[in-house]
Amino acid sequence: RSRAQVDATLRTAKLDPAELLPAVHCLRFGPHAAPGHCALLQLEPALCAELEAGRSLVIRGEKDEQAVLCSKDKTYDMKIADTSNMLLFVPGCKTPEELNADPSTSNIIHSQIAGFSNNYWELRRCRPKLKKLRKLLMEDPYEGPDSRKDQALTFSKYTTEDLLSLIQASEEEILHQLQVIDACKIEGYWRILEFDYEMKLLDHVTQLIDSESWSLSKVPLRTCLEELGSLEPREMIEHILLSYGRKYVDDGEVYFEMHEDKICRAIAQMLLRNAVKFNLSEFQEVWQQSVPEGMTTRLDQLKGLALVDKSSRPETIFLLKVEDLPEDNQERFNSLFGIREKWTEVDITPYIQDLCTEKQTVGALLTKYARSSMLNGVKVYNSRRPIS
Amino acid sequence: SGGTGALAQWVLVELQGEVEPRQSGSLAGSLLGDLHYTREGVPVLIVGHHILYGKVVQLEKPFAVLVKQGGAPEAGPGAPHGHYTVTALIKTKLLFKTRPKPIITHVPKKV
């Protein structure tokens, strides 16, 4: 279009050029403008800043999963928002401020509309979907160097890259979770230790601590490697110390402050695995006898691992691991109410803590997914719906 | 993924209803109209025989424009799987919500 044509249109429209800024954008649809070619993604200011800083966003999800968007350290659900309006995206289109600020702007700006849409993707921050991570690593737990299994060709092994493409979470969330579940890298693959092997390693360490009469808060790495190196790979010895202790350096030497709670908890798991449920007082006795010298067992060490049934006579305890429960909020609550009809807040909290987000606290979750009532003067929660 | 170097800043133009091509066929290449601004900064869009008045809005939640890599564009945003590149950011929109004023080009003569 020429200036003459633009002016002719203005005259026909009975618009006074004197009331307008001199520059005009002649908008034309670009050659690739077609639905589906471009999509709009609504950002929060923080995400916008990340993009402007040159960082990437990735969309993750297999065909059967709802797609999520991941920044470096956060995960978002994606949802289509429809608008009844037409949204056109125009590169190089200037605002009045920009035109006024730059008087040299050409009189006619030929702008191409790059694309258009009547919807956009909305993002909502969500919990990273990490249950799959443990599931993948449990396909082939590491049983130690002597295990025949590892020599056989197996494809159930995952590198960091594999996990990034399969897990719907940001890289930082994935790496953090790998640490939380005490995964370790063996020959480039992330592995979880098979429980018996892990207990065997832990046992070596606790026996050594006992025989050397070390303080539980000052276990020397060097001596552990020297004494146990002939029994197990050095990386495994160091790994078990890292999993069950806090590493620190004192006077140039590396030591570990052992986590009493975590060790007691692991030993409880070992004991509880073997039957459906146990007499509580018998269990407590055996448990205390099984932990290393100097450690004290407490039932609150077992939050999210085991549940005490105070209504049975005698009282019993059984294994219930939060990581074995469903990841979806409603399914989690259905599962919990299927196990026990009424829960106190103290009992249920360890089993829903991992569902909490910035916006949803334990209290909010209970309000949404449960109904409260009083039982013997104590507030309890039960299902909102009848359990089949 | 994001690009290296600064991201382009685009503008969103929001119109009521749908835009249809004059002739049947795709919109690609066809003219939409002239976009003017009044001296007060009010955007004025002349589309066909209509004048639309709008306003400049700074978006509280900016948009990223994603372009799908490789393969034919899908009809609709269905499955967002695949590789996308962030091509541009949009922080400003020109919102045309007022009903278009028709431009009367021919006044019938009184007989």
PDB file of all heavy atoms in Angstrom, chain A residues 69-86:
ATOM      1  N   LEU A  69       4.874 -27.965  31.528  1.00  0.00           N
ATOM      2  CA  LEU A  69       5.944 -27.092  31.084  1.00  0.00           C
ATOM      3  C   LEU A  69       6.948 -26.988  32.217  1.00  0.00           C
ATOM      4  O   LEU A  69       6.557 -26.827  33.370  1.00  0.00           O
ATOM      5  CB  LEU A  69       5.391 -25.708  30.758  1.00  0.00           C
ATOM      6  CG  LEU A  69       6.456 -24.753  30.220  1.00  0.00           C
ATOM      7  CD1 LEU A  69       6.209 -24.489  28.762  1.00  0.00           C
ATOM      8  CD2 LEU A  69       6.455 -23.448  30.976  1.00  0.00           C
ATOM      9  N   CYS A  70       8.213 -27.106  31.918  1.00  0.00           N
ATOM     10  CA  CYS A  70       9.238 -27.044  32.960  1.00  0.00           C
ATOM     11  C   CYS A  70      10.223 -25.923  32.691  1.00  0.00           C
ATOM     12  O   CYS A  70      10.746 -25.806  31.579  1.00  0.00           O
ATOM     13  CB  CYS A  70      10.014 -28.363  33.011  1.00  0.00           C
ATOM     14  SG  CYS A  70       8.970 -29.773  33.332  1.00  0.00           S
ATOM     15  N   SER A  71      10.454 -25.113  33.715  1.00  0.00           N
ATOM     16  CA  SER A  71      11.576 -24.191  33.650  1.00  0.00           C
ATOM     17  C   SER A  71      12.748 -24.946  34.267  1.00  0.00           C
ATOM     18  O   SER A  71      12.662 -26.158  34.459  1.00  0.00           O
ATOM     19  CB  SER A  71      11.276 -22.920  34.430  1.00  0.00           C
ATOM     20  OG  SER A  71      11.154 -23.219  35.809  1.00  0.00           O
ATOM     21  N   LYS A  72      13.791 -24.242  34.609  1.00  0.00           N
ATOM     22  CA  LYS A  72      14.941 -24.929  35.183  1.00  0.00           C
ATOM     23  C   LYS A  72      14.596 -25.599  36.512  1.00  0.00           C
ATOM     24  O   LYS A  72      15.109 -26.655  36.829  1.00  0.00           O
ATOM     25  CB  LYS A  72      16.068 -23.919  35.386  1.00  0.00           C
ATOM     26  CG  LYS A  72      17.379 -24.566  35.710  1.00  0.00           C
ATOM     27  CD  LYS A  72      18.539 -23.626  35.393  1.00  0.00           C
ATOM     28  CE  LYS A  72      19.873 -24.274  35.709  1.00  0.00           C
ATOM     29  NZ  LYS A  72      20.020 -24.616  37.135  1.00  0.00           N
ATOM     30  N   ASP A  73      13.692 -24.965  37.278  1.00  0.00           N
ATOM     31  CA  ASP A  73      13.466 -25.525  38.612  1.00  0.00           C
ATOM     32  C   ASP A  73      12.004 -25.647  39.013  1.00  0.00           C
ATOM     33  O   ASP A  73      11.714 -25.952  40.160  1.00  0.00           O
ATOM     34  CB  ASP A  73      14.217 -24.675  39.654  1.00  0.00           C
ATOM     35  CG  ASP A  73      13.688 -23.241  39.701  1.00  0.00           C
ATOM     36  OD1 ASP A  73      12.952 -22.839  38.779  1.00  0.00           O
ATOM     37  OD2 ASP A  73      14.017 -22.526  40.655  1.00  0.00           O
ATOM     38  N   LYS A  74      11.082 -25.397  38.070  1.00  0.00           N
ATOM     39  CA  LYS A  74       9.665 -25.490  38.436  1.00  0.00           C
ATOM     40  C   LYS A  74       8.879 -26.228  37.361  1.00  0.00           C
ATOM     41  O   LYS A  74       9.294 -26.291  36.203  1.00  0.00           O
ATOM     42  CB  LYS A  74       9.066 -24.087  38.613  1.00  0.00           C
ATOM     43  CG  LYS A  74       9.679 -23.283  39.754  1.00  0.00           C
ATOM     44  CD  LYS A  74       8.955 -21.957  39.901  1.00  0.00           C
ATOM     45  CE  LYS A  74       9.539 -21.103  41.000  1.00  0.00           C
ATOM     46  NZ  LYS A  74      10.864 -20.544  40.671  1.00  0.00           N
ATOM     47  N   THR A  75       7.724 -26.753  37.774  1.00  0.00           N
ATOM     48  CA  THR A  75       6.875 -27.487  36.851  1.00  0.00           C
ATOM     49  C   THR A  75       5.487 -26.856  36.841  1.00  0.00           C
ATOM     50  O   THR A  75       4.978 -26.417  37.875  1.00  0.00           O
ATOM     51  CB  THR A  75       6.776 -28.964  37.311  1.00  0.00           C
ATOM     52  OG1 THR A  75       8.094 -29.489  37.443  1.00  0.00           O
ATOM     53  CG2 THR A  75       6.011 -29.806  36.310  1.00  0.00           C
ATOM     54  N   TYR A  76       4.862 -26.803  35.651  1.00  0.00           N
ATOM     55  CA  TYR A  76       3.557 -26.166  35.490  1.00  0.00           C
ATOM     56  C   TYR A  76       2.628 -27.068  34.684  1.00  0.00           C
ATOM     57  O   TYR A  76       3.034 -27.642  33.664  1.00  0.00           O
ATOM     58  CB  TYR A  76       3.686 -24.842  34.726  1.00  0.00           C
ATOM     59  CG  TYR A  76       4.599 -23.824  35.370  1.00  0.00           C
ATOM     60  CD1 TYR A  76       5.978 -23.885  35.182  1.00  0.00           C
ATOM     61  CD2 TYR A  76       4.083 -22.795  36.149  1.00  0.00           C
ATOM     62  CE1 TYR A  76       6.825 -22.968  35.780  1.00  0.00           C
ATOM     63  CE2 TYR A  76       4.926 -21.859  36.743  1.00  0.00           C
ATOM     64  CZ  TYR A  76       6.285 -21.950  36.563  1.00  0.00           C
ATOM     65  OH  TYR A  76       7.112 -21.031  37.149  1.00  0.00           O
ATOM     66  N   ASP A  77       1.369 -27.142  35.109  1.00  0.00           N
ATOM     67  CA  ASP A  77       0.347 -27.809  34.294  1.00  0.00           C
ATOM     68  C   ASP A  77      -0.003 -26.871  33.148  1.00  0.00           C
ATOM     69  O   ASP A  77      -0.012 -25.650  33.312  1.00  0.00           O
ATOM     70  CB  ASP A  77      -0.933 -28.040  35.116  1.00  0.00           C
ATOM     71  CG  ASP A  77      -0.833 -29.299  35.948  1.00  0.00           C
ATOM     72  OD1 ASP A  77      -0.254 -30.282  35.454  1.00  0.00           O
ATOM     73  OD2 ASP A  77      -1.333 -29.298  37.085  1.00  0.00           O
ATOM     74  N   MET A  78      -0.333 -27.437  31.994  1.00  0.00           N
ATOM     75  CA  MET A  78      -0.732 -26.609  30.851  1.00  0.00           C
ATOM     76  C   MET A  78      -2.208 -26.835  30.564  1.00  0.00           C
ATOM     77  O   MET A  78      -2.681 -27.964  30.535  1.00  0.00           O
ATOM     78  CB  MET A  78       0.069 -27.007  29.613  1.00  0.00           C
ATOM     79  CG  MET A  78       1.552 -26.765  29.771  1.00  0.00           C
ATOM     80  SD  MET A  78       2.478 -27.286  28.329  1.00  0.00           S
ATOM     81  CE  MET A  78       2.048 -26.037  27.165  1.00  0.00           C
ATOM     82  N   LYS A  79      -2.910 -25.768  30.354  1.00  0.00           N
ATOM     83  CA  LYS A  79      -4.347 -25.881  30.084  1.00  0.00           C
ATOM     84  C   LYS A  79      -4.707 -24.902  28.993  1.00  0.00           C
ATOM     85  O   LYS A  79      -4.242 -23.763  29.001  1.00  0.00           O
ATOM     86  CB  LYS A  79      -5.104 -25.529  31.369  1.00  0.00           C
ATOM     87  CG  LYS A  79      -6.497 -26.101  31.422  1.00  0.00           C
ATOM     88  CD  LYS A  79      -7.134 -25.830  32.777  1.00  0.00           C
ATOM     89  CE  LYS A  79      -7.593 -24.396  32.882  1.00  0.00           C
ATOM     90  NZ  LYS A  79      -8.955 -24.252  33.424  1.00  0.00           N
ATOM     91  N   ILE A  80      -5.561 -25.332  28.067  1.00  0.00           N
ATOM     92  CA  ILE A  80      -5.981 -24.421  27.001  1.00  0.00           C
ATOM     93  C   ILE A  80      -7.059 -23.483  27.512  1.00  0.00           C
ATOM     94  O   ILE A  80      -8.021 -23.921  28.145  1.00  0.00           O
ATOM     95  CB  ILE A  80      -6.570 -25.219  25.817  1.00  0.00           C
ATOM     96  CG1 ILE A  80      -5.477 -26.048  25.165  1.00  0.00           C
ATOM     97  CG2 ILE A  80      -7.185 -24.281  24.798  1.00  0.00           C
ATOM     98  CD1 ILE A  80      -4.523 -25.241  24.339  1.00  0.00           C
ATOM     99  N   ALA A  81      -6.884 -22.212  27.226  1.00  0.00           N
ATOM    100  CA  ALA A  81      -7.927 -21.235  27.539  1.00  0.00           C
ATOM    101  C   ALA A  81      -8.474 -20.704  26.217  1.00  0.00           C
ATOM    102  O   ALA A  81      -7.717 -20.259  25.364  1.00  0.00           O
ATOM    103  CB  ALA A  81      -7.343 -20.097  28.364  1.00  0.00           C
ATOM    104  N   ASP A  82      -9.769 -20.825  26.059  1.00  0.00           N
ATOM    105  CA  ASP A  82     -10.382 -20.314  24.831  1.00  0.00           C
ATOM    106  C   ASP A  82     -10.813 -18.880  25.021  1.00  0.00           C
ATOM    107  O   ASP A  82     -11.250 -18.497  26.095  1.00  0.00           O
ATOM    108  CB  ASP A  82     -11.632 -21.139  24.475  1.00  0.00           C
ATOM    109  CG  ASP A  82     -11.255 -22.413  23.762  1.00  0.00           C
ATOM    110  OD1 ASP A  82     -10.508 -22.321  22.781  1.00  0.00           O
ATOM    111  OD2 ASP A  82     -11.693 -23.483  24.211  1.00  0.00           O
ATOM    112  N   THR A  83     -10.694 -18.115  23.991  1.00  0.00           N
ATOM    113  CA  THR A  83     -11.233 -16.772  24.044  1.00  0.00           C
ATOM    114  C   THR A  83     -12.158 -16.611  22.852  1.00  0.00           C
ATOM    115  O   THR A  83     -11.961 -17.242  21.821  1.00  0.00           O
ATOM    116  CB  THR A  83     -10.105 -15.699  24.028  1.00  0.00           C
ATOM    117  OG1 THR A  83     -10.572 -14.578  23.319  1.00  0.00           O
ATOM    118  CG2 THR A  83      -8.872 -16.220  23.358  1.00  0.00           C
ATOM    119  N   SER A  84     -13.176 -15.804  23.001  1.00  0.00           N
ATOM    120  CA  SER A  84     -14.091 -15.625  21.879  1.00  0.00           C
ATOM    121  C   SER A  84     -13.508 -14.631  20.882  1.00  0.00           C
ATOM    122  O   SER A  84     -14.091 -14.368  19.846  1.00  0.00           O
ATOM    123  CB  SER A  84     -15.445 -15.120  22.388  1.00  0.00           C
ATOM    124  OG  SER A  84     -15.231 -13.969  23.182  1.00  0.00           O
ATOM    125  N   ASN A  85     -12.357 -14.088  21.230  1.00  0.00           N
ATOM    126  CA  ASN A  85     -11.755 -13.089  20.347  1.00  0.00           C
ATOM    127  C   ASN A  85     -10.656 -13.690  19.492  1.00  0.00           C
ATOM    128  O   ASN A  85     -10.179 -14.784  19.728  1.00  0.00           O
ATOM    129  CB  ASN A  85     -11.170 -11.937  21.179  1.00  0.00           C
ATOM    130  CG  ASN A  85     -12.243 -11.152  21.884  1.00  0.00           C
ATOM    131  OD1 ASN A  85     -13.417 -11.252  21.544  1.00  0.00           O
ATOM    132  ND2 ASN A  85     -11.857 -10.388  22.886  1.00  0.00           N
ATOM    133  N   MET A  86     -10.260 -12.920  18.508  1.00  0.00           N
ATOM    134  CA  MET A  86      -9.205 -13.313  17.604  1.00  0.00           C
ATOM    135  C   MET A  86      -7.911 -12.643  18.056  1.00  0.00           C
ATOM    136  O   MET A  86      -7.883 -11.436  18.262  1.00  0.00           O
ATOM    137  CB  MET A  86      -9.572 -12.785  16.211  1.00  0.00           C
ATOM    138  CG  MET A  86      -8.792 -13.453  15.138  1.00  0.00           C
ATOM    139  SD  MET A  86      -9.234 -15.182  15.179  1.00  0.00           S
ATOM    140  CE  MET A  86      -8.387 -15.774  13.806  1.00  0.00           C
TER     141      MET A  86
END
